[in-house]
Amino acid sequence: MDLLPYLAQALTPFNLLLALGGVVLGTLIGALPGLSATMAVAVLVPFTFAMVPASGLIALGAIYTGAIYGGAFAAILVNTPGTPSAIATTFDGFPMAKRGDGNLAVTLATLGSVVGGLVGALALLFLSPPLSKVALAFGPPEYFWLAIFGLTLISALSQGDTLKGILGAAFGLFLATVGVAVVGGDVRYTLDQPMLVGGFDVIAALIGLYCIPVVIDLVARPDPHLKVSVQAGGFRLAEAMGHCARNWFNLIRSSVIGTVVGILPGAGGSIASLVSYSEARRSAKHPERFGKGEPGGVLATESANNATVGGGFIPTLVLGIPGTPPDAVILGALLVQGIRTGPGLFTGQGDIVYTFIFGLLIATVLMLPVGLLIGRYAYQAIVSIPKAVLVPTVAFLTIIGSFAIHNSMHDVYTMLGLGFLGWILARFGFAPSPIVLGIILGPIAEQGFVQAWLIGNAQGNVLGMFFGRPISLAIAALALLTLFYPLLTDMLKARRARRGGTAATPRETIDAD
């Protein structure tokens, strides 16, 4: 198939302007806590109805990919993920910023996002039909085990104490059960309070658990919030390119993981970034550096979560199954435009689809200059702004961002309550990431478990439903390996230390003689 005409259509001045504007707007929205990629796409969908379908899709795709990338700015500079997919970016991004390498971390996030976005978009361009079959192979038990896998990842990645990570994830799972059940509609743990019927919103919980402890610490500590780097005025692009060259396999592997996870409806960038981060840490020569400002950690998470954009469009376009909430909004825009998704979309309306895919590729490339420019001034502003201005600004944004989710004060109360609780738990060594991931993955795990149990019970084979499917067994094995991997590593290190001490005794005796 000759794809050049579609590329030429995507390169028209109007489409280029839409791609550039979408990336800029999406990046700014994603960087603000509470203003998620879904919100950005949903608000701007009506503006695309006056455009031709391909141009409208390019604008929405550019906003989507820009918002996913923009979440890294707040994650790196103020330890607050702008979007849930940037949670793992805080692990190494903020420690880099605290030691004065915030501009390097932002450049690394930009390069990683561009590489991941290109891999995901290229997979969408060339591999859509075969990869879409992966999504069809996943049923309720696979989604249950996938959620459990995500929870074991975050507990294992908890800095310092795996047990506290597991307890934090369990607490997040409990918070996810508050309100109306995802299957059956039972009302649980509301304490007869009407405002708890809707449960705890993920975005409000994310803002509270990450933002409020940072605001309190900024007020409580007299020292500067970030170190000022002597190189703060530059992009440090050459240095970042060097890190990318040394981590080239990590970049490609994380991008592929993000693409594959993005294909699975409901999985999203949170799981993709955690899986990629865990794999990068496991295979690193110096895994002990992760969590303390390791550039490879930022590259792994950002390349993975941006690769989910292209991966998520594969089931959306080929099967009509949205991979993520923004994909669901874009699918609705397609239906309004009269475009029917399905296997025949690439042949029946190929001009629209291929023009959109090339537009997504162009928007991803434009993220490089846009991200470097925004990142440079964002880092300078965050470093140089006085605390007396920074603290009220961040606090104001947290309140406005929480209220904007559903125009409800309940989300503001949720944000403040969980934020203060998160600050107290942090004093005892509990990280916020396991709690947030528990809230995110809890509904996925519950829905998958209940549906698989009902199907297995109807078939008279409950155990076979959970443990008799090859993909389920593979994911369960990965979850067990990830859960016990830190313990096995510690045991092996202790055994090697004992052997080393025993072997050293004869030599020490000879030296003494």
Side-chain angles (χ1 to χ4, degrees), residues 285-300:
K285 293 182 179 179
H286 300 284
E288 70 279 358
R289 297 178 182 174
F290 281 74
K292 301 175 182 178
E294 170 60 32
V298 176
L299 290 173

Side-chain angles (χ1 to χ4, degrees), residues 201-214:
D201 185 83
V202 173
I203 304 298
L206 185 148
I207 296 172
L209 288 168
Y210 279 97
C211 240
I212 298 302
V214 171

Side-chain angles (χ1 to χ4, degrees), residues 190-330:
T190 61
L191 303 177
D192 294 327
Q193 297 295 320
M195 68 177 185
L196 291 179
V197 173
F200 297 104
D201 185 83
V202 173
I203 304 298
L206 185 148
I207 296 172
L209 288 168
Y210 279 97
C211 240
I212 298 302
V214 171
V215 172
I216 296 175
D217 288 338
L218 285 174
V219 174
R221 297 177 181 175
D223 54 315
H225 47 287
L226 295 177
K227 289 184 179 180
V228 179
S229 172
V230 295
Q231 299 171 305
F235 302 129
R236 300 176 69 174
L237 184 58
E239 187 178 352
M241 293 291 289
H243 284 294
C244 289
R246 289 188 290 273
N247 287 271
W248 68 270
F249 185 73
N250 178 21
L251 267 174
I252 300 301
R253 177 184 57 206
S254 300
S255 301
V256 172
I257 290 174
T259 302
V260 174
V261 173
I263 296 171
L264 309 177
S270 303
I271 296 179
S273 59
L274 285 170
V275 173
S276 300
Y277 185 85
S278 177
E279 186 60 23
R281 182 181 181 183
R282 184 195 62 79
S283 60
K285 293 182 179 179
H286 300 284
E288 70 279 358
R289 297 178 182 174
F290 281 74
K292 301 175 182 178
E294 170 60 32
V298 176
L299 290 173
T301 58
E302 284 303 304
S303 57
N305 61 32
N306 265 84
T308 59
V309 175
F313 276 120
I314 292 175
T316 303
L317 297 179
V318 178
L319 302 174
I321 303 173
T324 60
D327 289 328
V329 176
I330 294 174

Side-chain angles (χ1 to χ4, degrees), residues 326-418:
D327 289 328
V329 176
I330 294 174
L331 178 62
L334 285 171
L335 297 176
V336 171
Q337 293 272 18
I339 301 172
R340 298 296 175 184
T341 57
L345 177 64
F346 283 77
T347 55
Q349 294 177 301
D351 56 333
I352 297 174
V353 177
Y354 285 112
T355 302
F356 159 64
I357 295 174
F358 279 117
L360 188 63
L361 282 166
I362 294 168
T364 303
V365 173
L366 289 174
M367 273 199 309
L368 183 58
V370 169
L372 291 177
L373 287 173
I374 294 178
R376 175 179 181 176
Y377 294 108
Y379 177 65
Q380 287 180 335
I382 294 294
V383 168
S384 60
I385 190 172
K387 275 190 177 182
V389 177
L390 179 64
V391 171
T393 302
V394 174
F396 176 76
L397 289 175
T398 59
I399 295 173
I400 294 299
S402 301
F403 181 78
I405 299 170
H406 300 114
N407 292 331
S408 170
M409 285 301 296
H410 168 57
D411 293 321
V412 178
Y413 299 145
T414 296
M415 181 270 295
L416 293 173
L418 290 179

